Amino acid sequence: MKYTNRRIASLLRQKGFKLTPQRRAVLDIICSSTEHFTPVQIYERARQEHPDVGLVTVYRTLNMLAALGLLCQVHMDGRKRSYVMRRPAEHHHHLVCSQCGTVVDFASCDLGELEEKLSRQTGFEINGHLLEFSGCCQECKQK
Amino acid sequence: MKYTNRRIASLLRQKGFKLTPQRRAVLDIICSSTEHFTPVQIYERARQEHPDVGLVTVYRTLNMLAALGLLCQVHMDGRKRSYVMRRPAEHHHHLVCSQCGTVVDFASCDLGELEEKLSRQTGFEINGHLLEFSGCCQECKQK
DNA sequence: CTTGTAGTTGAAAATGTCTTTCATTTATCA
DNA sequence: TGATAAATGAAAGACATTTTCAACTACAAG
Ligand SMILES: [Zn+2]
Ligand SMILES: [Zn+2]
Ligand SMILES: [Zn+2]
Ligand SMILES: [Zn+2]
């Protein structure tokens, strides 16, 4: 079940945030695709519809959404941030096409056993993990 | 089996790189521990022994080593780079203490099956993965 | 042991990403 | 219809990293 921009809009209102046209523009872009975008890419797209959004506001909106747990970030390749809209609360990970940026979520993550083993072996108290696959999607393969 | 600074030194020579005192200083630091360092941390340590290395050179040396596949990076927490010397060719991943930065390598990574499943389900040609655990190491827990 | 030279260096400037500041504007609600 | 707290854009700031360039040096050929 996917967040829609409408659902998020009402969620924001609930939390006491104002729903400005700029925020709407960012939401529309993020919700419209499974690609991941960098803040600058979102900025550029947002300006097409709404020429006076500032990059600063894009950053602020992204930070707000991230704080609310509504975004995930993609980590592989590069040290820029890139964001994807998040499916609600479920633990999940990403499979990313390194050509076109499409992100597929998957939930099957059997790392519990490995985590326990590592914990036993090292004495670490493990409290999180990062798992990402990268590759080339079907469409990109055909080119 | 761990890379030693001596082994790397001869490897660099083989590849036609000059072995300067600055590069030696960076190598010594990276090879001397399993901690991961940021470029600036390496710079600061290097200056203790060799006061006229520049930060630029540290960056250049790190990039050179990374291009040769001799370094791993740690991805979690933050968007600074941090580097650890890499054990030769073996596939491995990192368990990172988010307090003190200690990195433990582990090789047991059973993602093949999951990878195949994802590949079948999505049509992706998967060519890599990123796996990292983070937590708190034994020593840090006691504080 | 010279000496030539391609590769290397450091300082400073440039780039790129993200955040802070602040005066002005605006969404929301009593 | 205001009142007001929140949000905005421009500009400046903070960092991490890269580029540029003139001076330097490791190293091998003579
Ligand atoms: Zn997981
Ligand atoms: Zn693709
Ligand atoms: Zn490693
Ligand atoms: Zn693996």
Side-chain angles (χ1 to χ4, degrees):
Chain A
M1 191 211 286
K2 205 170 166 177
Y3 269 129
T4 60
N5 43 5
R6 188 175 309 177
R7 204 176 308 190
I8 291 173
S10 84
L11 197 103
L12 290 190
R13 244 191 284 262
Q14 257 178 52
K15 297 269 180 182
F17 292 102
K18 291 183 181 171
L19 196 58
T20 63
Q22 292 92 334
R23 284 178 179 172
R24 239 186 264 272
V26 172
L27 281 180
D28 282 350
I29 289 158
I30 290 179
C31 291
S32 71
S33 136
T34 59
E35 281 178 72
H36 57 183
F37 300 105
T38 63
V40 170
Q41 287 172 323
I42 292 171
Y43 169 65
E44 283 162 353
R45 295 204 176 200
R47 281 179 84 83
Q48 288 169 15
E49 297 295 309
H50 200 287
D52 49 347
V53 286
L55 181 54
V56 197
T57 296
V58 172
Y59 274 109
R60 280 193 282 234
T61 304
L62 290 173
N63 286 346
M64 180 191 70
L65 293 172
L68 291 174
L70 298 170
L71 289 180
C72 335
Q73 296 183 35
V74 170
H75 296 254
M76 268 173 149
D77 51 71
R79 69 197 52 70
K80 292 186 230 172
R81 293 184 190 171
S82 58
Y83 292 99
V84 202
M85 180 55 55
R86 182 181 195 173
R87 278 69 172 166
E90 302 121 28
H91 180 97
H92 71 280
H93 297 284
H94 296 147
L95 166 56
V96 185
C97 174
S98 43
Q99 298 294 306
C100 69
T102 294
V103 174
V104 178
D105 283 11
F106 63 93
S108 42
C109 140
D110 284 347
L111 295 172
E113 220 174 290
L114 175 54
E115 183 171 317
E116 228 173 88
K117 187 177 114 192
L118 286 174
S119 190
R120 239 188 348 263
Q121 286 176 351
T122 62
F124 269 62
E125 182 184 321
I126 297 179
N127 50 41
H129 61 255
L130 169 59
L131 173 61
E132 238 175 79
F133 287 89
S134 73
C136 186
C137 74
Q138 214 152 22
E139 289 180 24
C140 288
K141 267 194 293 185
Q142 289 163 1
K143 290 168 198 165
Chain B
M1 191 213 286
K2 205 170 167 178
Y3 268 129
T4 60
N5 42 6
R6 188 176 308 177
R7 204 175 308 192
I8 291 173
S10 84
L11 197 105
L12 290 190
R13 244 191 285 261
Q14 260 178 50
K15 297 271 178 179
F17 293 102
K18 291 183 183 173
L19 195 56
T20 63
Q22 293 92 334
R23 285 178 179 172
R24 235 187 268 271
V26 171
L27 281 181
D28 282 348
I29 290 159
I30 290 178
C31 291
S32 70
S33 140
T34 58
E35 281 177 72
H36 58 182
F37 300 106
T38 63
V40 170
Q41 288 172 322
I42 292 171
Y43 169 65
E44 283 162 355
R45 296 204 175 201
R47 282 180 84 85
Q48 287 168 16
E49 298 295 309
H50 201 289
D52 49 347
V53 286
L55 180 53
V56 198
T57 297
V58 172
Y59 273 107
R60 279 193 282 233
T61 304
L62 289 174
N63 287 345
M64 180 190 70
L65 293 173
L68 291 175
L70 297 171
L71 288 181
C72 338
Q73 295 184 36
V74 171
H75 296 253
M76 268 173 149
D77 51 71
R79 67 197 55 69
K80 290 187 228 171
R81 292 182 190 173
S82 60
Y83 292 96
V84 202
M85 180 53 56
R86 183 181 196 174
R87 277 71 173 161
E90 303 122 27
H91 180 95
H92 72 280
H93 297 284
H94 297 148
L95 167 55
V96 186
C97 174
S98 43
Q99 298 293 306
C100 69
T102 295
V103 175
V104 178
D105 283 12
F106 63 92
S108 41
C109 141
D110 283 349
L111 295 172
E113 220 173 289
L114 175 54
E115 182 171 318
E116 228 173 88
K117 187 178 113 192
L118 286 174
S119 190
R120 237 187 351 262
Q121 286 175 352
T122 62
F124 268 61
E125 183 184 321
I126 297 180
N127 50 39
H129 60 256
L130 170 58
L131 173 61
E132 238 176 80
F133 286 90
S134 74
C136 186
C137 75
Q138 213 153 22
E139 288 180 24
C140 288
K141 268 194 292 185
Q142 289 164 358
K143 289 169 197 166

